[in-house]
Amino acid sequence: MNQPDVDVVVVGGGPAGSCAAIVAARAGLSVVLLERGPFPGSKNMYGGVVYPRILDELIPNWWEEAPIQRWVTRRSTMMLTDTQALTVDFRSEAWGKPPYNGATAFRPDWDHWLAGYAEAAGAQVLTDTTVVGLIRDAKGAVAGVRTDRPDGDLTARVVIACDGVNSFLAKEAGLYEHTDAKHFTLGVKETLSLPKEVIDERFAVRDRHGVDIEILGGTGKVNGGGFLYTGLDTLSVGVVLKLPKLAAQQQRPEQLVAGLKAHPAIAPLVQGAELKEYSAHLIPEAGLTMMPKMTTSGMLVAGDAAALCLAAGIWLEGVNFAMASGMYAGEAAVEAVQAGDVSENGLRGYQRRLSDTFVLKDHRKLRRAPELVLSDRVQHLYPGMIANVAERVFHVDNPHPKPGVRRILAQERKKAGVRRRDLLRDGWTGFRSFG
Amino acid sequence: MTIVACLKWVSHPGEPHDERFSGMSPADQSALEFALRQAEQTGTGVTAITVGPSGADKVLRDALACGATRAIRIEAPTTAAGTDVATAIADHIAEAQWVWCGDYSLDRGAGSVPAFIAAHLLAEQALGVIAAELHDGSVHATRRLDGGRRELLEVHAPAVVSVEGATARLRRAGLHSLRTAAGATIEVIAATTPIHQAEFMVRAYRPRARELPAPAGEGPLDRLRVLTDATTSSAARGEKTTLEPAEAAERIIRALRDWGYLTP
Amino acid sequence: MSDGTISFQERMATAEFRVHHDAHIVVDGKVCADCSTRECVVACPASLFVPTSDGGIVFNYEQCFECGTCYIVCNREGAISWHYPEGGHGVVFRRT
Ligand SMILES: Cc1cc2nc3c(=O)[nH]c(=O)nc-3n(C[C@H](O)[C@H](O)[C@H](O)COP(=O)(O)OP(=O)(O)OC[C@H]3O[C@@H](n4cnc5c(N)ncnc54)[C@H](O)[C@@H]3O)c2cc1C
Ligand code: SF4
Ligand code: SF4
């Protein structure tokens, strides 16, 4: 075989791609990272919270440099009906100190910053370059990529596809059996501006401390959820929508965001904030159900391209899964190149690493969670039922004595039309997933 | 024959200090494209030159990736004054035959650099060009004049041509030349003349107030008519004379002074 | 400006699009003509699919987020041909 142009070509300058490039370049491999946007992060959008602990190894004391907005020290989960809200609120001062837990950050900042480490490690980061296809050798193994530039073919020993949720590369390589609209959710968000002091006061935080609110319900008849995060002087508010039901409900994404913002529990938080930026992006929601084959000869798939995003109601994590899987893909590529075997077998270290770490362990544990969270019962029956229970438990109706909680529960279950069997089963699934 | 493209590193109007949103202005891209085409026609190369801090290497690398053969950066702050920039460039390209510039830079440049360069090089100039045709030994350029009129110029080397954005679409750099350009050397040199900070006065543009005697007329309506009516003889609003160039310049300056556009 | 009242046009103006001269998404109006679900019209977050009075669909590619929703929700073979725009073009996010 002719000498390839480089050892490793990484497609996509998101968190997965940059981590893959950092690892491979630090091991001394020649690496090119191709990004289609004008700079890494320019095409990327998410809710707003990163969990960067996975970077401890790659970038010691990453928190001293990372372009973050606020450290999340308060995490709330809200359950909304049209007029009610039930919130579980947790606060930890420890999360506001090194090594921290989560942070709000903007992706054009975060991804650009992370790609800087890839460049510093010796990887060549080429932007404004869209990969349009794979190059294969005579035996059909992946041997490089084709870009949309003149003279645009780049051959490599290993291609690491970190090209995000639409991953045309994984599809072209035949690694996805099939994809279906029900495996994806659409996220739309508004970045709103509000003075820092106002945010501090409304969300009861100080300094660089911030809040992460995950919202169940609040998207009307469309199945989905919402989120609200605090930036330094911005708020990120948005909804995540299950695709198949969207059209049937005739409600447009921006209308659903408006609906969420108008909810009595949310409106006072976002009042008077001005729209700075409107954005949208897909999420691979179905976890294990949709995951492709991760490896083929000459190629690895990481991050959203491999559907490794964890989207399960109270959790919406993808950046950490992307960084970790990118890292492991980088390590596996190094192993394979050094051993001179980049066949599917030579690259098997990747799958092993994914299986042995949180990347696939979390997914396995939560395998039923996405479906449960987006099911009609959880979406449309339980929130009302639970909120009604809470309302009746907390409602003081003197001179009547307080009713027993168990009786309220039974009554509300019947009123909501929930069958006892379904409730028990969902409860069991939920307990096994989240418990 | 030396063909030069003068390129300025500019930031996006909305993101003044953000390198992610910086690069070559559309006008500079057109200038570079013309330079490259001319070099292809004449079998020579293009020298890309910029005056600025190290961040400005970005535009030079882009130029190299597109086919420029040499890249020079004259060290200076981003806010260098236009006249100094022109002097610094002219000093380094004394033997240039064709100098291509973008018409104005995004960051409120006045478009004066090309004119100053031409003055330094004693070169012909075609500035603010909206179309250019490359011919053997000359460039046919079209300029926009007031009132929808066009001026057609034929310039010969040595010449400075400054073009507006979108006059030529810059070619897309090839993948492998992009890779090579990323590692190519850029000649960084100190300016031979001092470079000063440009002095910007940032304020809203407000025309100087002028005293206008109330026009003659019976009622307010008549007076308004006198003020606004286009049918009033133009003699009242301007003058027509034939003068020698030097005298004419003198006369214009006096008029500008009288009208309050120049400080006395 | 109270954010609830801004027009959709103003909303889209908050994002930057570096428009390329060639469309990266092409919609075949003939296929759409007898589509009854019109998923794209409701789902496209940029509202780029607009039904016409004669039962067709007009599509504009300029202000596209490149999210992929349209080709995923559309279940008619051949209605949408979808590519990423040429490198360096299309949407550019800032605070997302
Ligand atoms: C609405 C929403 C909310 C979310 N909220 C959170 C959250 O709060 N916390 C969290 O951790 N995760 C969240 N996620 C998930 C997270 O954004 C993703 O899991 C993560 O971005 C995946 O990283 P990646 O590197 O795999 O892919 P991406 O970040 O999508 O990066 C892919 C990169 O590849 C480039 N690319 C694609 N195709 C090509 C090509 N052909 N040629 C060249 N370059 C290409 C793209 O431009 C992009 O830079 C959210 C996602 C969404 C949509
Ligand atoms: S693009 Fe698809 S969903 Fe939209 S109208 Fe055409 S056929 Fe129907
Ligand atoms: S990719 Fe997204 S934004 Fe673009 S047209 Fe399709 S649905 Fe609309």
Side-chain angles (χ1 to χ4, degrees):
Chain A
M1 194 176 108
N2 287 344
Q3 188 74 4
D5 294 321
V6 287
D7 291 326
V8 175
V9 50
V10 179
V11 182
S18 282
C19 287
I22 294 172
V23 170
R26 284 195 187 161
L29 268 48
S30 61
V31 180
V32 168
L33 186 156
L34 299 169
E35 165 58 45
R36 64 188 189 89
F39 59 85
S42 56
K43 298 283 181 188
N44 303 341
M45 167 277 195
Y46 76 148
V49 181
V50 283
Y51 296 94
R53 287 302 303 281
I54 188 72
L55 288 180
D56 285 0
E57 246 176 86
L58 283 190
I59 309 172
N61 294 6
W62 49 266
W63 52 83
E64 289 167 7
E65 303 260 335
I68 66 111
Q69 293 284 314
R70 288 176 188 253
W71 302 107
V72 173
T73 55
R74 236 189 107 184
R75 215 191 133 133
S76 303
T77 303
M78 258 187 193
M79 198 181 276
L80 299 184
T81 70
D82 288 348
T83 55
Q84 300 155 305
L86 180 70
T87 308
V88 179
D89 189 44
F90 179 75
R91 193 188 259 275
S92 164
E93 283 303 293
W95 288 354
K97 294 191 202 77
Y100 303 99
N101 178 40
T104 53
F106 294 134
R107 296 291 300 283
D109 298 342
W110 183 266
D111 294 4
H112 178 252
W113 168 76
L114 205 53
Y117 281 89
E119 203 150 30
Q124 194 171 42
V125 177
L126 302 179
T127 59
D128 307 278
T129 307
T130 304
V131 171
V132 293
L134 296 169
I135 298 172
R136 292 173 186 268
D137 67 13
K139 286 192 223 118
V142 174
V145 296
R146 205 146 268 163
T147 71
D148 66 347
R149 286 189 178 272
D151 185 23
D153 287 3
L154 191 65
T155 53
R157 292 179 209 279
V158 182
V159 172
I160 307 184
C162 304
D163 51 340
V165 56
N166 283 303
S167 191
F168 296 112
L169 292 188
K171 286 174 196 161
E172 185 182 331
L175 297 177
Y176 274 98
E177 257 167 41
H178 74 295
T179 49
D180 191 306
K182 68 174 189 288
H183 294 158
F184 299 92
T185 48
L186 168 64
V188 285
K189 103 168 171 179
E190 293 184 358
T191 308
L192 308 170
S193 74
L194 207 61
K196 179 179 186 300
E197 313 77 62
V198 178
I199 293 177
D200 288 353
E201 196 173 317
R202 280 187 196 173
F203 291 85
V205 283
R206 252 185 279 181
D207 307 326
R208 279 256 163 173
H209 291 186
V211 182
D212 162 342
I213 304 176
E214 308 293 338
I215 299 161
L216 303 171
T219 48
K221 292 200 167 60
V222 179
N223 296 24
F227 54 83
L228 173 57
Y229 305 125
T230 57
L232 194 61
D233 52 7
T234 55
L235 298 177
S236 293
V237 56
V239 294
V240 171
L241 309 167
K242 200 170 168 179
L243 285 182
K245 264 216 170 177
L246 202 51
Q249 296 303 338
Q250 288 298 311
Q251 272 194 299
R252 291 204 27 88
E254 76 280 0
Q255 293 169 338
L256 292 163
V257 181
L260 179 67
K261 284 165 69 184
H263 190 278
I266 305 293
L269 299 175
V270 300
Q271 192 190 359
E274 190 181 314
L275 181 64
K276 267 279 188 245
E277 197 164 339
Y278 172 60
S279 54
H281 204 284
L282 284 182
I283 305 176
E285 177 90 20
L288 279 183
T289 317
M290 71 184 293
M291 266 178 216
K293 208 173 138 222
M294 307 280 173
T295 313
T296 181
S297 282
M299 177 166 147
L300 299 167
V301 192
D304 274 14
L308 286 169
C309 180
L310 184 75
I314 57 174
W315 287 292
L316 182 49
E317 296 173 24
V319 174
N320 47 336
F321 283 80
M323 293 190 295
S325 56
M327 232 168 78
Y328 301 142
E331 290 171 10
V334 171
E335 247 169 37
V337 169
Q338 284 171 350
D341 177 10
V342 295
S343 68
E344 191 174 328
N345 187 47
L347 290 165
R348 72 185 180 284
Y350 180 47
Q351 183 70 40
R352 178 172 50 74
R353 285 177 173 84
L354 293 179
S355 301
D356 289 353
T357 57
F358 76 93
V359 177
L360 284 183
K361 283 187 174 157
D362 283 0
H363 271 287
R364 271 192 226 108
K365 183 168 159 58
L366 292 169
R367 84 178 295 153
R368 276 181 237 284
E371 205 187 306
L372 174 68
V373 170
L374 290 178
S375 71
D376 283 338
R377 279 193 299 276
V378 170
Q379 287 280 324
H380 305 303
L381 300 182
Y382 295 165
M385 180 183 90
I386 295 169
N388 283 346
V389 170
E391 182 157 346
R392 280 179 61 189
V393 169
F394 296 134
H395 190 79
V396 179
D397 195 15
N398 297 342
H400 298 287
K402 296 199 191 306
V405 175
R406 213 159 29 165
R407 220 180 80 223
I408 297 180
L409 247 172
Q411 286 171 349
E412 288 301 328
R413 180 178 59 73
K414 277 199 202 106
K415 213 159 85 196
V418 175
R419 288 189 307 186
R420 198 190 174 117
R421 208 175 38 177
D422 289 336
L423 182 63
L424 287 175
R425 201 180 49 209
D426 291 340
W428 177 235
T429 307
F431 178 74
R432 271 197 320 188
S433 298
F434 300 110
Chain B
M1 190 174 82
T2 314
I3 299 171
V4 174
C6 303
L7 308 172
K8 185 175 184 196
W9 181 48
V10 291
S11 42
H12 195 284
E15 319 282 338
H17 304 294
D18 194 330
E19 289 203 15
R20 294 173 301 175
F21 294 91
S22 68
M24 233 185 272
S25 72
D28 283 6
Q29 290 180 22
S30 295
L32 176 60
E33 178 59 30
F34 279 119
L36 291 167
R37 287 181 197 171
Q38 202 179 32
E40 274 164 0
Q41 279 183 10
T42 54
T44 49
V46 171
T47 300
I49 191 163
T50 192
V51 178
S54 61
D57 285 354
K58 181 170 175 175
V59 299
L60 294 180
R61 293 202 189 282
D62 288 349
L64 289 170
C66 288
T69 38
R70 225 185 126 187
I72 303 173
R73 177 167 63 84
I74 302 172
E75 186 67 51
T78 359
T79 51
T83 47
D84 294 344
V85 168
T87 313
I89 291 177
D91 273 357
H92 284 97
I93 57 165
E95 69 311 344
Q97 294 296 294
W98 291 100
V99 181
W100 293 90
C101 304
D103 179 35
Y104 54 86
S105 39
L106 280 178
D107 49 351
R108 65 188 149 180
S112 57
V113 171
F116 284 126
I117 295 178
H120 278 289
L121 297 178
L122 298 173
E124 292 186 12
Q125 52 177 310
L127 305 184
V129 160
I130 54 170
E133 272 172 48
L134 305 177
H135 290 269
D136 206 10
S138 70
V139 169
H140 294 189
T142 309
R143 297 185 61 211
R144 203 196 313 268
L145 296 182
D146 286 349
R149 280 179 298 240
R150 296 281 185 266
E151 179 180 44
L152 299 176
L153 297 170
E154 180 176 333
V155 285
H156 299 87
V160 176
V161 185
S162 80
V163 296
E164 290 194 355
T167 42
R169 188 183 294 148
L170 180 59
R171 65 197 61 192
R172 192 151 160 74
L175 184 70
H176 293 274
S177 41
L178 190 68
R179 293 195 62 207
T180 319
T185 29
I186 284 171
E187 300 164 46
V188 182
I189 49 186
T192 43
T193 46
I195 291 190
H196 304 93
Q197 296 272 114
E199 282 171 32
F200 289 122
M201 263 215 300
V202 187
R203 61 176 162 89
Y205 172 71
R206 203 170 283 132
R208 211 172 289 269
R210 247 183 333 134
E211 243 178 81
L212 273 184
E218 287 280 295
L221 189 59
D222 296 320
R223 290 199 289 275
L224 263 180
R225 253 195 210 118
V226 177
L227 268 181
T228 56
D229 197 352
T231 57
T232 326
S233 106
S234 66
R237 293 184 282 137
E239 55 179 309
K240 211 182 243 169
T241 52
T242 314
L243 297 168
E244 286 300 301
E247 258 181 280
E250 187 73 15
R251 182 70 195 84
I252 290 171
I253 289 176
R254 184 145 40 89
L256 289 174
R257 208 162 263 152
D258 291 347
W259 294 336
Y261 290 114
L262 290 176
T263 35
Chain C
M1 176 172 74
S2 92
D3 44 85
T5 59
I6 66 165
S7 67
F8 197 79
Q9 226 170 345
E10 286 174 288
R11 166 179 300 277
M12 293 307 294
T14 61
E16 184 189 347
F17 299 93
R18 299 188 187 167
V19 180
H20 192 264
H21 46 86
D22 289 329
H24 63 287
I25 299 175
V26 179
V27 178
D28 184 348
K30 288 199 292 295
V31 182
C32 299
D34 50 46
C35 164
S36 55
T37 53
R38 296 286 155 99
E39 315 264 348
C40 59
V41 176
V42 182
C44 170
S47 208
L48 298 177
F49 294 80
V50 182
T52 56
S53 54
D54 61 349
I57 287 279
V58 199
F59 174 77
N60 281 302
Y61 72 96
E62 284 93 348
Q63 295 191 309
C64 169
F65 290 122
E66 301 151 33
C67 65
T69 302
C70 51
Y71 83 82
I72 286 178
V73 294
C74 171
N75 42 27
R76 306 218 142 199
E77 201 63 37
I80 300 181
S81 117
W82 203 101
H83 300 274
Y84 284 127
E86 182 177 278
H89 291 85
V91 70
V92 179
F93 290 130
R94 281 172 168 67
R95 294 175 201 84
T96 54

